[in-house]
Amino acid sequence: MISTAYEIVRSSLNNWVDSLIFIMIALFYVLSVLQLPVSEIIQMFAILAAFSIGINIILSSHENINHVKLNQQP
């Protein structure tokens, strides 16, 4: 259970690191062009992080289901 949660968080962090340049461009855009308040920007990134973790949870559960099915075949 703990190892699965660790893998999900590690996968989410890897996804965020891989897309860091796009996150920085989006941050620059909302700060300079849209001029949104910082609290709204933090809320936007929190929602993005929640979606990222949710997607990784869904993908990891699908991977575990396939792994169990493969092990059950004779």
Side-chain angles (χ1 to χ4, degrees), residues 2 4-6 12 24 33 44 47-48 50-51 56-57:
I2 293 175
T4 304
Y6 173 74
S12 296
M24 297 306 288
V33 176
M44 178 180 63
I47 291 170
L48 186 63
F51 280 141
N56 282 314
I57 288 171

Side-chain angles (χ1 to χ4, degrees), residues 17-74:
V17 168
D18 290 342
S19 62
L20 191 59
I21 188 72
F22 299 111
I23 293 170
M24 297 306 288
I25 291 170
L27 183 64
F28 175 75
Y29 180 74
V30 297
L31 283 174
S32 63
V33 176
L34 297 178
Q35 296 179 352
L36 293 177
V38 175
S39 63
E40 298 225 357
I41 295 170
I42 292 171
Q43 182 181 9
M44 178 180 63
F45 282 122
I47 291 170
L48 186 63
F51 280 141
S52 174
I53 290 174
I55 288 171
N56 282 314
I57 288 171
I58 291 169
L59 291 175
S60 70
S61 66
H62 180 69
E63 182 179 295
N64 289 337
I65 290 171
N66 287 336
H67 181 67
V68 170
K69 287 181 182 177
L70 290 174
N71 286 337
Q72 291 177 353
Q73 293 178 353

